[in-house]
Amino acid sequence: PMGTGTILPDLIYRSARARPDHPALVLKGGKKSYAVLAAEVTAFAKGFVELGLRPSERVGIFLEKQFETVTALLGASAAGGVFVPINPALRPSQVAHILSDCSVSALVTTRKRAAELSEILSSCSDLKLLIVLEDGPATDFPTLQVGTWDRFMQQGAQSTAPLPAIAEDGLAGILYTSGST
C-alpha cells in the first residue's frame, strides 16, 4: 500500500516502517502503535475496495473523536475516496445537507446516530453504504447496504484486493465549517 508519493496515508505507512511500535494515537489512556494503525487503515481501505468504492467517492464520518474516526479518515483516503468529517454536534437536517451537498456514498457512524438519522437517510440519493460501529439489531434502512465496523474491518483485513493508485494532487477531504473558522 505504500507508494512513493505523499498522499495522506503514506505518512502513517512511512512511520509504521520507521517506528512500528511507537504510539501513533493516544486517547483516554488507550494507545495504538503506528503498525496497528497502518494495518487498520489498510483493512478499512480494502474493505471499501471490496464493496466497490470508486476513486473520488465521498465517505462521511459522523463520529466523536475516537480511534475509529482516524482509521476511517485515513482508510477512505487510502482507498482513493474523499473523507467528509461531519461534526457530531450537528442536527439531522444539517447532516442531511452535508450528505446530499457533496454526494456522500458511504457513511460511518454509531448505531444510535444512524437511528437518529433514519428519517433523512432515504433522502440522500447517493448514499448506498452505512457502516455502524456496534453490533446489534439492524435498523431498517431498505435503500442501504448496512454493515458493522468489526465485520467490515475483518473482511478488509482478509482481502487480497490491491489498493488503487492515487494521484498526489487528488482531493483528499471535504471539510464543512460553521463559517467562524
Side-chain angles (χ1 to χ4, degrees):
M2 293 170 264
T4 57
T6 54
I7 62 166
L8 188 59
D10 284 343
L11 300 173
I12 299 303
Y13 294 136
R14 288 176 185 158
S15 294
R17 282 196 317 256
R19 300 182 305 273
D21 297 327
H22 284 204
L25 299 173
V26 178
L27 179 67
K28 297 178 187 170
K31 292 182 183 180
K32 280 198 191 269
S33 69
Y34 280 106
V36 169
L37 180 59
E40 290 179 356
V41 166
T42 299
F44 188 94
K46 287 188 173 200
F48 268 113
V49 170
E50 286 284 339
L51 291 174
L53 180 79
R54 295 181 314 273
S56 300
E57 282 195 274
R58 277 55 166 158
V59 179
I61 300 155
F62 189 39
L63 297 171
E64 299 287 337
K65 293 176 184 169
Q66 57 195 78
F67 291 134
E68 293 88 352
T69 305
V70 176
T71 300
L73 289 168
L74 295 169
S77 186
V82 177
F83 59 81
V84 182
I86 302 169
N87 183 336
L90 295 180
R91 296 184 310 273
S93 62
Q94 295 168 306
V95 175
H97 169 75
I98 291 171
L99 296 176
S100 295
D101 185 58
C102 68
S103 305
V104 167
S105 59
L107 178 64
V108 181
T109 192
T110 63
R111 189 167 294 284
K112 180 181 179 203
R113 288 183 192 280
E116 292 168 356
L117 298 174
S118 62
E119 290 183 23
I120 61 99
L121 290 182
S122 61
S123 68
C124 301
S125 60
D126 293 300
L127 189 63
K128 52 191 173 199
L129 174 64
L130 176 64
I131 302 293
V132 292
L133 295 193
E134 311 85 3
D135 288 330
T139 309
D140 187 24
F141 297 105
T143 61
L144 299 177
Q145 180 179 355
V146 181
T148 64
W149 177 269
D150 288 343
R151 184 172 170 90
F152 177 76
M153 292 293 285
Q154 182 180 36
Q155 288 173 335
Q158 295 171 351
S159 171
T160 57
L163 292 178
I166 301 167
E168 289 182 48
D169 61 351
L171 182 61
I174 299 173
L175 308 177
Y176 285 79
T177 71
S178 63
S180 61
T181 305

